[in-house]
Amino acid sequence: MNDPTDPVHPAPLPAAALCMPVSAAEFDFATTADLPAETGWLGQDRAVDAIRMAASIRHGDFNAFVLGMPGTGRHRIVDAILKEAAATRARPNDWVYVNNFETPHKPTAIELPPGIGTRLRKAMEALVDDLANAIPALFESEDYQSRRNTIEQGFAEAHEEAMSALFERARARNVAILRTPMGFTVTGLHDGEVLTPDKYEALSEAEQEKVDTAVDEIQDALGEILKAAPAREKDHRRQVEELNYEMARAGVEDAIADVTATLPEIDALRAYLETVRADLIENAQIFLIRDDQMQGGPFPGATSKHYTRPQFQRYAVNVIVGDGGADEGGGAPVIRESLPTLGNLIGRIEYASEMGALVTNFTMIRPGALHRANGGFIVLDALHVLSEPFAWDALKRCLRTGEISIYSPGERLSLVSTVSLDPDPIPLRTRVILVGERMHYYLLSALDPDFAHLFKLEADLDDHLPDDAGARQGFARMIGTIARRAGIRPLDPGAVAAILREATRLAGDAERLTLNTDTLSDILREADHWADGNGHDAITPCDIETALLERERRASRIRELSHESITRETVLIDTDGAAIGQINALSVLQVGGYAFGRPSRLTARTRMGGGKLVDIERETELGGAIHSKGVLILQGYLAATYATDMPMSLWASLVFEQSYGGVDGDSASAAELLALVSSLAEAPIDQSFAITGSINQFGAIQAIGGVNEKIECFFDICAARGLTGRQGVLIPAANTKHLALRRRVIEAVESDRFRIIPVAHVDEAIALLMGSRAGARDADGAYPDGSINARVEARLRGFADARRAFGRTMNEQGGKS
Amino acid sequence: MSPETRRARVILGATCYLDAEGAIRVAVEIARQIGADLHGVLVADEAIMAAASTPRARCIGFGGAQVIEVTAARMEAAFRADARRFEQQLQRAAQAASLATAFRQMQGRLATALDQGAGAGDVLIYGFSRDPGSTDCVALVVGAAPPAPRLAALAAQLSQKTGKPLLIFAPPGIGGPDVITCDSPEALLARLERHRPAAVIGAAPRADLPPVARLLDAARCPLILPATSPEGDS
């Protein structure tokens, strides 16, 4: 049936063309242990340069998004580059929150040189401890007691002297001052006795007047003395306060001077210490509050940690960034936040419950990852950030404003209106690196107008590396490095060659090597396991092959069930003989991370009609959009290739037999066209073949995906039934470079038991499958007699004639009746 | 009950609640020291009632404000009110110190009222309200003879409790580091006024002391005297 000398028939591919031609002889090392370690990242120059730029550029809005396929080493590359860059940078400044004595709900942020934050905290704790001992001693000192007594004496004397003088005057004026329930009563005396009304009336007018005048005088004077008491009391208090202030100031200033001497001259720090000084002097009495528990403990009061007591919390220092001590190694921070919730990112304000109410202060401000990364780098997983409520919004806000403001989700939604803390925002000087998949990047670019402004650098990791000069040697070094890093056996040259072939399989291209280092590492580690069992010192090709087979075996339960349904003839697939309007199409399924092929019987039926091509898959809504597009394209080919001078009078139906799960993609459109042509030309199709390829309106067969899986699935069916030597798969010529077939197929091709035939045009496929040439129009526009195309066109003309005749008959019958 | 078996009493008297309150703590302390009952007497002093009955009677409140309408009736009502408060406070203080207590209101002269019904062994306290911060000492007034040990002990206790030094006001011929010589009752009054005592304990014979009213005027503090007894104090 097939004429191998016919130039229309393309030749089958040799075995050498079915996978990457690589052998162990290309490598001149004993094992990969002899190779130097890979210091860079093979094939990732574009992305690496972008990340390096993000690490070094000084402009704040050049944050980076690292995108690529998972497994290509995005995180590892980012970590290595950032760590290298961070080591060359100076350690960033410390940030602390301290009490704002005037408005306590607006804590003050102070930037300090590295290490000074902790030093300030400890200095303030020591200050409080010192004053807790010094101030009580000051107020118990002889000096203070003496001066206080002087004030008290002076106050008491003033009043008593006035009262004494008054009482003396009263006695001299014959007036008595009596103490009564209603207050002081001033009354006249007569012969040492209080004047009764009778005795008063018995006095002469002059004497009465004298008594009255004396009583009034003494009464007024008494009133004056008593009214002066509050003013005197106020002055007494003022003098006591001034004394206390003076004593406190002496103690505080000495202590503050000690603190100031240990800290650098920074304006903000000096200003803060000045407010501390003023507050300490004003509130010195808090140091006089005795805590009996502290006094009664095993340690004497003088060595107790006074700074932990609640009344001294106002002098604490909350080190937000930098609480690691001056001994920490230099360099900028590289922070990776694995749970980027709103609070973990921008920090949070904590609350404590006291007597049923929630209270907080500046000591309860907790830093977020952005704080810890300030002056350095922060690496975030894009999906995690986008998944956490308000996290993405907060990150953008911080980058836009250049500040880290702390708020809660409740405040963000304006659900909380109670007064909380409003701390000074801390300037953000951090480079943000987002790591994610390409889909995340493209969605953000399309839908978030802020994204492009804030993340100007894209570090797009390549999925694969071209197999050009030097690539294989570089790849071998990379493999050796992976093995070294994983702590496994080195590979011998044959294993390296095997891994290279597998790398092309993973890339889906014989001329490309995958850069999915995670998957390569998994394979190597599994191969190491098999090498261990086999007692090998180095990983051999056999270990690699075993690892690959075992990986496939683990994942192939569904594939085997599909295969079994065919070999048990539940699903009907012919692998020999011929049939009109029936062809073996090939599709690929992805279940989890495993892809496998599956052959399908595609059939076409044709008859006269009104030009309708029924795609049963589309009609039943089992066909996807791309599948439908393929069917429409082949309709275009039909309409433009055959009987173009008359209406298309064809009715045809196409279906994937026994397919109930839906189909998409156009990789079967060539098979559909061939089935139609077969049905129209009534030319049987050789069932020894399967075909895959999409068709355009000019009949050219175009590349498709999953070519390796599709070939292997048909091969496995044929092999299960016994290879006849006739069987094979027609593939698009453009897919030849994507071939990375398994050993079993290559061996069958080598022994001429199976064929892989590349085709570029539907006419080549017609000749191979139907045993006759398709035929080309001659100068008169006619197809050669007996050619498939001539037969198709003749059939279509026949449909058109029959339809015209039918129409005339109907008209005649209609006219007669 | 014979005088020998009757429990001693500390009798606190005052003409107003303020003065009574000013001396309650001293009275409780003394009652506890000598194991006595605590009695209170509010005296509606005749002199005060007479003063309140005069046509132009006026008062100055203890804060300096003038009280316009002062009549005998209002003063009586004020005495009754003060008596209630005095009694309540006395009972509270006695209960806290586990002391037996009694209270009465009477009319008369404060200076002599407390002596009425008092017997041997009783201690009389004439109340007076004074800011302890304005006092400098505790005063023990003695006569030519040594003071009764009980009174001397009392004075020492009060000195310790108040934290004020004990000064002894004695007639000439008695020496010592804390002795202040007073050669006449007037001199005693003048010195008491100058030294601003927190309390005065009168350990000299009553006849050698100035009148109670004068002592109160000069010392302006609680005055503590043994009740007059023909056998003297022991």
Side-chain angles (χ1 to χ4, degrees), chain A residues 65-68 70 74 380-387 392 434-448 451:
Chain A
F65 192 110
V66 178
L67 57 153
R74 298 167 299 174
L380 299 168
D381 184 283
L383 183 61
H384 291 168
V385 173
L386 293 167
S387 303
W392 177 239
L434 279 180
V435 180
E437 294 180 38
R438 294 202 173 87
M439 180 185 68
H440 305 144
Y441 178 84
Y442 297 137
L443 282 172
L444 283 168
S445 299
L447 301 175
D448 190 337
F451 179 71

Short mmCIF file of all heavy atoms in Angstrom, two decimals, chain A residues 65-68 70 74 380-387 392 434-448 451:
data_model
loop_
_atom_site.label_atom_id
_atom_site.label_comp_id
_atom_site.label_asym_id
_atom_site.label_seq_id
_atom_site.Cartn_x
_atom_site.Cartn_y
_atom_site.Cartn_z
N PHE A 65 10.03 41.63 41.35
CA PHE A 65 9.17 40.45 41.38
C PHE A 65 9.95 39.36 40.66
O PHE A 65 10.31 39.49 39.50
CB PHE A 65 7.85 40.72 40.65
CG PHE A 65 6.81 39.67 40.89
CD1 PHE A 65 5.70 39.94 41.66
CD2 PHE A 65 6.94 38.40 40.34
CE1 PHE A 65 4.73 38.98 41.89
CE2 PHE A 65 5.99 37.43 40.56
CZ PHE A 65 4.88 37.71 41.33
N VAL A 66 10.21 38.29 41.36
CA VAL A 66 10.95 37.16 40.79
C VAL A 66 9.92 36.13 40.36
O VAL A 66 9.20 35.57 41.19
CB VAL A 66 11.91 36.56 41.83
CG1 VAL A 66 12.65 35.36 41.26
CG2 VAL A 66 12.89 37.62 42.30
N LEU A 67 9.82 35.94 39.04
CA LEU A 67 8.80 35.03 38.55
C LEU A 67 9.44 33.88 37.80
O LEU A 67 10.50 34.02 37.20
CB LEU A 67 7.81 35.77 37.64
CG LEU A 67 8.35 36.49 36.41
CD1 LEU A 67 7.26 36.56 35.34
CD2 LEU A 67 8.78 37.89 36.75
N GLY A 68 8.78 32.76 37.86
CA GLY A 68 9.30 31.58 37.17
C GLY A 68 8.57 30.35 37.63
O GLY A 68 7.76 30.40 38.56
N PRO A 70 7.91 27.03 39.48
CA PRO A 70 8.40 26.46 40.74
C PRO A 70 9.41 25.37 40.47
O PRO A 70 9.25 24.58 39.54
CB PRO A 70 7.13 25.89 41.38
CG PRO A 70 6.02 26.66 40.77
CD PRO A 70 6.45 26.98 39.38
N ARG A 74 14.05 29.84 42.39
CA ARG A 74 13.81 31.26 42.62
C ARG A 74 14.26 31.69 44.01
O ARG A 74 15.00 32.67 44.16
CB ARG A 74 12.31 31.57 42.47
CG ARG A 74 11.76 31.28 41.09
CD ARG A 74 10.24 31.30 41.10
NE ARG A 74 9.71 30.28 42.00
CZ ARG A 74 8.43 30.14 42.29
NH1 ARG A 74 7.53 30.94 41.79
NH2 ARG A 74 8.03 29.19 43.11
N LEU A 380 9.25 38.00 50.15
CA LEU A 380 7.88 37.56 50.45
C LEU A 380 7.38 36.70 49.31
O LEU A 380 7.68 36.95 48.15
CB LEU A 380 6.96 38.77 50.59
CG LEU A 380 7.30 39.76 51.70
CD1 LEU A 380 6.50 41.04 51.54
CD2 LEU A 380 7.02 39.14 53.05
N ASP A 381 6.60 35.69 49.65
CA ASP A 381 5.95 34.88 48.63
C ASP A 381 4.70 35.64 48.16
O ASP A 381 3.86 36.01 48.98
CB ASP A 381 5.58 33.52 49.21
CG ASP A 381 4.98 32.60 48.16
OD1 ASP A 381 3.79 32.78 47.81
OD2 ASP A 381 5.71 31.73 47.67
N ALA A 382 4.60 35.83 46.86
CA ALA A 382 3.51 36.67 46.32
C ALA A 382 2.15 36.09 46.67
O ALA A 382 1.24 36.82 47.08
CB ALA A 382 3.67 36.81 44.82
N LEU A 383 2.01 34.79 46.51
CA LEU A 383 0.70 34.20 46.76
C LEU A 383 0.30 34.35 48.22
O LEU A 383 -0.85 34.64 48.54
CB LEU A 383 0.72 32.72 46.35
CG LEU A 383 -0.62 31.99 46.48
CD1 LEU A 383 -1.67 32.63 45.60
CD2 LEU A 383 -0.46 30.51 46.12
N HIS A 384 1.26 34.19 49.11
CA HIS A 384 0.96 34.32 50.53
C HIS A 384 0.54 35.75 50.86
O HIS A 384 -0.40 35.97 51.61
CB HIS A 384 2.18 33.95 51.38
CG HIS A 384 2.49 32.48 51.32
ND1 HIS A 384 3.66 31.95 51.80
CD2 HIS A 384 1.80 31.44 50.84
CE1 HIS A 384 3.67 30.65 51.62
NE2 HIS A 384 2.54 30.32 51.03
N VAL A 385 1.23 36.71 50.29
CA VAL A 385 0.89 38.10 50.58
C VAL A 385 -0.50 38.43 50.05
O VAL A 385 -1.32 39.08 50.71
CB VAL A 385 1.92 39.06 49.96
CG1 VAL A 385 1.47 40.50 50.11
CG2 VAL A 385 3.28 38.88 50.59
N LEU A 386 -0.78 37.94 48.85
CA LEU A 386 -2.09 38.23 48.25
C LEU A 386 -3.21 37.50 48.97
O LEU A 386 -4.35 37.94 48.92
CB LEU A 386 -2.07 37.82 46.77
CG LEU A 386 -1.15 38.67 45.88
CD1 LEU A 386 -0.95 38.01 44.53
CD2 LEU A 386 -1.71 40.07 45.71
N SER A 387 -2.87 36.40 49.62
CA SER A 387 -3.90 35.61 50.30
C SER A 387 -4.26 36.16 51.67
O SER A 387 -5.35 35.89 52.17
CB SER A 387 -3.42 34.16 50.48
OG SER A 387 -3.08 33.60 49.26
N TRP A 392 -1.49 42.80 51.27
CA TRP A 392 -1.02 43.42 50.02
C TRP A 392 -1.26 44.93 50.06
O TRP A 392 -0.40 45.72 49.70
CB TRP A 392 -1.75 42.78 48.85
CG TRP A 392 -1.43 43.33 47.50
CD1 TRP A 392 -2.32 43.88 46.61
CD2 TRP A 392 -0.16 43.40 46.85
NE1 TRP A 392 -1.67 44.27 45.46
CE2 TRP A 392 -0.34 44.00 45.58
CE3 TRP A 392 1.13 43.01 47.22
CZ2 TRP A 392 0.71 44.21 44.69
CZ3 TRP A 392 2.18 43.23 46.32
CH2 TRP A 392 1.95 43.82 45.08
N LEU A 434 9.42 40.16 45.82
CA LEU A 434 8.29 39.23 45.78
C LEU A 434 8.68 38.05 44.91
O LEU A 434 9.26 38.24 43.84
CB LEU A 434 7.06 39.90 45.19
CG LEU A 434 6.22 40.80 46.09
CD1 LEU A 434 5.06 41.36 45.30
CD2 LEU A 434 5.71 40.05 47.29
N VAL A 435 8.35 36.85 45.37
CA VAL A 435 8.64 35.65 44.58
C VAL A 435 7.31 34.98 44.28
O VAL A 435 6.52 34.73 45.19
CB VAL A 435 9.56 34.69 45.35
CG1 VAL A 435 9.84 33.45 44.53
CG2 VAL A 435 10.85 35.39 45.74
N GLY A 436 7.08 34.73 43.00
CA GLY A 436 5.79 34.12 42.67
C GLY A 436 5.82 33.49 41.31
O GLY A 436 6.86 33.41 40.64
N GLU A 437 4.66 33.02 40.90
CA GLU A 437 4.54 32.41 39.58
C GLU A 437 4.20 33.47 38.55
O GLU A 437 3.76 34.57 38.89
CB GLU A 437 3.49 31.32 39.64
CG GLU A 437 3.91 30.17 40.54
CD GLU A 437 2.87 29.07 40.61
OE1 GLU A 437 2.25 28.79 39.56
OE2 GLU A 437 2.69 28.51 41.68
N ARG A 438 4.38 33.08 37.32
CA ARG A 438 4.17 34.03 36.23
C ARG A 438 2.73 34.54 36.22
O ARG A 438 2.49 35.73 35.97
CB ARG A 438 4.50 33.39 34.90
CG ARG A 438 5.94 33.05 34.75
CD ARG A 438 6.36 32.92 33.29
NE ARG A 438 7.79 32.76 33.24
CZ ARG A 438 8.42 31.60 33.33
NH1 ARG A 438 7.73 30.49 33.43
NH2 ARG A 438 9.74 31.54 33.30
N MET A 439 1.81 33.63 36.50
CA MET A 439 0.41 34.04 36.49
C MET A 439 0.17 35.18 37.47
O MET A 439 -0.55 36.13 37.19
CB MET A 439 -0.46 32.84 36.85
CG MET A 439 -1.94 33.15 36.87
SD MET A 439 -2.93 31.78 37.43
CE MET A 439 -2.45 31.66 39.13
N HIS A 440 0.79 35.10 38.66
CA HIS A 440 0.60 36.16 39.65
C HIS A 440 1.12 37.48 39.11
O HIS A 440 0.50 38.52 39.26
CB HIS A 440 1.34 35.82 40.96
CG HIS A 440 0.95 34.50 41.52
ND1 HIS A 440 1.84 33.66 42.15
CD2 HIS A 440 -0.24 33.87 41.57
CE1 HIS A 440 1.22 32.58 42.54
NE2 HIS A 440 -0.05 32.67 42.21
N TYR A 441 2.30 37.41 38.50
CA TYR A 441 2.90 38.64 37.97
C TYR A 441 2.01 39.25 36.90
O TYR A 441 1.75 40.46 36.90
CB TYR A 441 4.29 38.32 37.41
CG TYR A 441 4.97 39.53 36.80
CD1 TYR A 441 5.66 40.44 37.60
CD2 TYR A 441 4.88 39.77 35.44
CE1 TYR A 441 6.27 41.55 37.05
CE2 TYR A 441 5.48 40.90 34.89
CZ TYR A 441 6.17 41.77 35.69
OH TYR A 441 6.75 42.89 35.15
N TYR A 442 1.55 38.44 35.98
CA TYR A 442 0.77 38.99 34.88
C TYR A 442 -0.59 39.49 35.35
O TYR A 442 -1.09 40.52 34.89
CB TYR A 442 0.60 37.94 33.77
CG TYR A 442 1.91 37.53 33.16
CD1 TYR A 442 2.19 36.19 32.90
CD2 TYR A 442 2.89 38.47 32.88
CE1 TYR A 442 3.41 35.81 32.36
CE2 TYR A 442 4.12 38.09 32.35
CZ TYR A 442 4.37 36.76 32.09
OH TYR A 442 5.59 36.39 31.58
N LEU A 443 -1.17 38.80 36.29
CA LEU A 443 -2.46 39.29 36.84
C LEU A 443 -2.27 40.61 37.57
O LEU A 443 -3.07 41.54 37.41
CB LEU A 443 -3.03 38.24 37.81
CG LEU A 443 -3.70 37.04 37.16
CD1 LEU A 443 -4.04 35.99 38.22
CD2 LEU A 443 -4.95 37.44 36.41
N LEU A 444 -1.22 40.70 38.37
CA LEU A 444 -0.98 41.96 39.07
C LEU A 444 -0.70 43.08 38.08
O LEU A 444 -1.18 44.21 38.24
CB LEU A 444 0.20 41.80 40.03
CG LEU A 444 -0.09 41.05 41.32
CD1 LEU A 444 1.20 40.69 42.06
CD2 LEU A 444 -1.00 41.85 42.23
N SER A 445 0.07 42.79 37.05
CA SER A 445 0.38 43.81 36.05
C SER A 445 -0.88 44.30 35.36
O SER A 445 -1.03 45.48 35.06
CB SER A 445 1.33 43.24 34.99
OG SER A 445 2.53 42.85 35.58
N ALA A 446 -1.80 43.36 35.12
CA ALA A 446 -3.00 43.72 34.37
C ALA A 446 -4.05 44.41 35.24
O ALA A 446 -4.75 45.30 34.78
CB ALA A 446 -3.60 42.47 33.74
N LEU A 447 -4.12 44.01 36.50
CA LEU A 447 -5.26 44.43 37.31
C LEU A 447 -4.93 45.43 38.40
O LEU A 447 -5.83 46.08 38.93
CB LEU A 447 -5.92 43.19 37.96
CG LEU A 447 -6.40 42.15 36.97
CD1 LEU A 447 -6.91 40.91 37.71
CD2 LEU A 447 -7.49 42.71 36.07
N ASP A 448 -3.67 45.56 38.79
CA ASP A 448 -3.32 46.48 39.87
C ASP A 448 -2.48 47.63 39.33
O ASP A 448 -1.31 47.43 38.99
CB ASP A 448 -2.56 45.72 40.97
CG ASP A 448 -2.39 46.55 42.22
OD1 ASP A 448 -2.44 47.80 42.15
OD2 ASP A 448 -2.18 45.96 43.30
N PHE A 451 1.01 48.26 40.85
CA PHE A 451 2.04 47.24 40.83
C PHE A 451 3.26 47.67 39.99
O PHE A 451 4.40 47.55 40.43
CB PHE A 451 1.46 45.94 40.29
CG PHE A 451 2.45 44.82 40.21
CD1 PHE A 451 2.94 44.22 41.36
CD2 PHE A 451 2.91 44.37 38.98
CE1 PHE A 451 3.87 43.20 41.29
CE2 PHE A 451 3.83 43.35 38.92
CZ PHE A 451 4.31 42.76 40.07
#
